[in-house]
Amino acid sequence: MRRKVMKARLYFLAPSFLGVFLFVLLPFGDVVRRSFMTAITKEGAGIQNYRTIFTNSAFLLAVKNTLRFTVFCIPLMVALGLVIALAMGSIRHMQTVKSFYLFPLAMPTATVAVVWKMVFYEKGFLNQWLEQWGLLAWLGNGAAVDYIGSGAAFYVLAGTYIWKNLGYTVVLWLAGIMGVNGEMMEAAQVDGAGKLQRFWYVMLPNLKGSLYTIVVISFLNSFKIYREAYLVAGSYPHDSIYMLQHLFNNWFVNLDLDKMAAAVVVCALFFLVFIMLLQWLWDKEAG
Amino acid sequence: MDKKKAREWYIFIKQGILETVLILPALLVCIPILLLVTGGFMARDELREGLAPVFTGMGDYIQWNWMPNYPTFENYKSLLFETPQFFVLFWNSVKMTGCILIGQLLMGVPAAWSFAVYRFRSGKAVFTMYVALMLLPFQVMMLSNYLVLDRLHLMNTQWAVILPAVFSTFPVFICYGGFRQIPAAMLESARIDGAGELHIFWKIGLPLGKGGILSAMVLGFLEYWNLMEQPLAFLESKELWPLSLYLPEITWQQAGYAFAASVITLIPSVFVFLMGQEYLEQGIIYAGLKE
């Protein structure tokens, strides 16, 4: 019987694994190989491609912007999500309110882009409202700004990312909060811990696992903001939102495959190290 | 007695304020939808006049009548009955999303079952690899995908979008979360009663793991209905494109089409969202489960 079980598990896994092997693992190996070769003549190039990308100004700009975006957005969203999840836990119509936070997830990017252009272009709604309320003069020298074609694009994109993914984060936090042992919270209360103390000393330490997954998932989702950025601002947007996604896409279109291969390897390594580091930090805390 | 009443009032007011503050961001959902819907019913001239400042940069600010002056179905009519191109792209979207989801069901669900039920050491390593792959963004996988698709002569066919997505490891992880809930003792006792592995999967796994599978499908639908990066990179012919890439192609002079098309693109998503919100939330929670 054991043998039959062992065989079964292989049959279940095989189709998926073969596909992953063919479509992901095998070509990824090829990418690694190509990262050490020239694009056209396919001669060995050593680490030349890696040297090229690290002196390439577009690559450096894209890395800088991507990091800036991540460092700005993720802590903000993690904190905002926690505050909202905590507040939401104590209201009556939680389910309805939650729907509104989740809905942007279901809004196709193409439709978002239509609205965003109307809101954020120079003659759009945002400037109109600001002027109506007399805020335009107070904010920036009275001149209307094109929010897509200037440095403000970064904040538009950051706001879009948070708008789109906040519901996701809130759901994860809520699940984490529900998972905190109720008895422990009660015991703390009986022992005379105040509301804030209970939150700080009992609730938060128990939410570390949620924090880890929320950071990882937010990071992953932050790459999908490319859709909005591309549809609103095109392949070559303002410098402040030129990110790795734009760069990869443009290299791909221009068939700069050697540079791209090296950049892919660098990024993949960075992601894996980043995630492993997070997990290690968390395991250390837990253990 | 009075003190109690005062306290009740205090809680009532506090709740009210909290609810009001929390519901405010709902405006950020309602206003965009209202814009799209009103735009869809607006006459061509009214739209052109109102939007010209935005797209030409001339004149005063955008003008928007939240109640169209002459509400009309003209935009929908010409989009649905006079623009065959729209139907081709809508059908493309349906076809690609459908094929991807069916493929994920056929490939991903059994794999998730295998990881969740049969614990073995080499399996664990493979599973860790699946999780790592799930965490890599598309841009990192783009070149690998291209190399395979080019070798298989699939570039510029819709298979170029479908096949890599079918073998995405994300739905495997979500379904795994659902299957993990099934107690091992239940499977063991079925085995002792002489049930075959396939039988167990079919009769116990699928019914009890339904939540995970549906969660993967709902998350998958919202993702693939909105597909952009892959078709942009792998499909050159515009007649193969999905709807999500068509919208931005519409120039502002034809804004009426854009609004009508937006609303039509939005409808399936809203439908899935409303029907499947429970599974959407469950799926998000499964995605956050740490192995």
Side-chain angles (χ1 to χ4, degrees), chain A residues 25-199:
Chain A
L25 295 183
L26 202 64
F28 196 79
D30 197 23
V31 170
V32 175
R33 191 176 63 96
R34 275 163 185 266
S35 73
F36 295 104
M37 295 191 318
T38 57
I40 299 155
T41 54
K42 301 237 166 92
E43 285 159 3
I47 56 163
Q48 188 51 47
N49 289 330
Y50 291 89
R51 236 184 247 155
T52 312
I53 60 166
F54 278 107
T55 52
N56 181 305
S57 61
F59 181 73
L60 295 178
L61 176 71
V63 168
K64 192 192 91 186
N65 283 337
T66 307
L67 284 178
R68 178 171 169 231
F69 188 80
T70 318
V71 170
F72 180 81
C73 285
I74 290 182
L76 192 64
M77 190 160 78
V78 167
L80 204 59
L82 180 59
V83 171
I84 291 172
L86 285 169
M88 222 183 254
S90 62
I91 63 170
R92 282 161 301 180
H93 310 288
M94 181 167 104
Q95 204 54 38
T96 320
V97 175
K98 201 161 49 173
S99 305
F100 281 109
Y101 285 85
L102 274 172
F103 186 78
L105 214 58
M107 244 179 117
T109 309
T111 62
V112 175
V114 173
V115 176
W116 260 222
K117 284 180 184 168
M118 292 164 68
V119 175
F120 294 111
Y121 273 13
E122 191 183 334
K123 305 279 181 175
F125 282 118
L126 184 58
N127 280 328
Q128 191 187 24
W129 292 332
L130 286 178
E131 192 175 87
Q132 270 172 13
W133 297 336
L135 288 173
L136 205 56
W138 180 68
L139 271 177
N141 315 330
V145 186
D146 172 10
Y147 295 93
I148 304 295
S150 68
F154 177 81
Y155 298 99
V156 171
L157 208 59
T160 309
Y161 166 71
I162 288 171
W163 173 75
K164 186 139 202 173
N165 291 289
L166 192 59
Y168 211 114
T169 314
V170 168
V171 167
L172 284 172
W173 275 128
L174 277 172
I177 291 168
M178 304 283 184
V180 171
N181 192 335
E183 281 172 29
M184 210 151 44
M185 292 291 279
E186 266 171 42
Q189 190 173 13
V190 171
D191 288 344
K195 227 176 176 177
L196 209 62
Q197 279 176 314
R198 261 178 293 157
F199 171 71

Side-chain angles (χ1 to χ4, degrees), chain B residues 24-68:
Chain B
L24 272 181
L27 283 178
L28 296 178
V29 171
C30 298
I31 292 177
I33 292 179
L34 204 61
L35 266 175
L36 294 174
V37 172
T38 49
F41 287 119
M42 238 178 239
R44 202 159 293 175
D45 292 334
E46 192 179 352
L47 270 175
R48 198 175 305 175
E49 216 169 291
L51 290 177
V54 181
F55 291 97
T56 59
M58 315 249 239
D60 211 17
Y61 289 114
I62 186 172
Q63 273 174 38
W64 200 256
N65 305 318
W66 293 93
M67 194 58 225

Side-chain angles (χ1 to χ4, degrees), chain A residues 9 16 90 101 123 213 282, chain B residues 15 22 59 120 130 288 290:
Chain A
R9 78 163 197 233
S16 166
S90 62
Y101 285 85
K123 305 279 181 175
T213 52
W282 187 57
Chain B
Q15 278 251 333
L22 279 177
F120 51 103
Y130 267 56
K290 197 171 156 292

Side-chain angles (χ1 to χ4, degrees), chain A residues 108, chain B residues 79-80 83-98 158 221 224-225 238-247 260-269 271:
Chain B
L79 187 72
L80 293 178
T83 327
Q85 198 196 358
F86 178 77
F87 270 104
V88 174
L89 298 173
F90 190 85
W91 175 237
N92 284 344
S93 271
V94 172
K95 203 163 53 178
M96 285 195 267
T97 310
Q158 287 174 342
F221 179 85
Y224 297 116
W225 188 251
K238 288 190 178 171
E239 66 267 18
L240 296 177
W241 277 8
L243 208 50
S244 38
L245 283 181
Y246 167 69
L247 271 172
S262 294
V263 172
I264 294 175
T265 313
L266 194 58
I267 288 171
S269 285
F271 181 74

Side-chain angles (χ1 to χ4, degrees), chain B residues 81-146:
Chain B
F81 298 111
E82 290 152 28
T83 327
Q85 198 196 358
F86 178 77
F87 270 104
V88 174
L89 298 173
F90 190 85
W91 175 237
N92 284 344
S93 271
V94 172
K95 203 163 53 178
M96 285 195 267
T97 310
C99 285
I100 291 172
L101 293 183
I102 292 171
Q104 288 185 343
L105 274 178
L106 293 177
M107 300 290 155
V109 172
W113 175 253
S114 161
F115 287 128
V117 170
Y118 311 103
R119 314 280 170 73
F120 51 103
R121 203 178 301 154
S122 54
K124 196 142 189 262
V126 177
F127 187 67
T128 310
M129 183 196 80
Y130 267 56
V131 175
L133 290 180
M134 154 185 128
L135 296 173
L136 291 177
F138 169 72
Q139 283 78 16
V140 171
M141 305 314 299
M142 178 162 55
L143 183 55
S144 320
N145 284 346
Y146 166 74

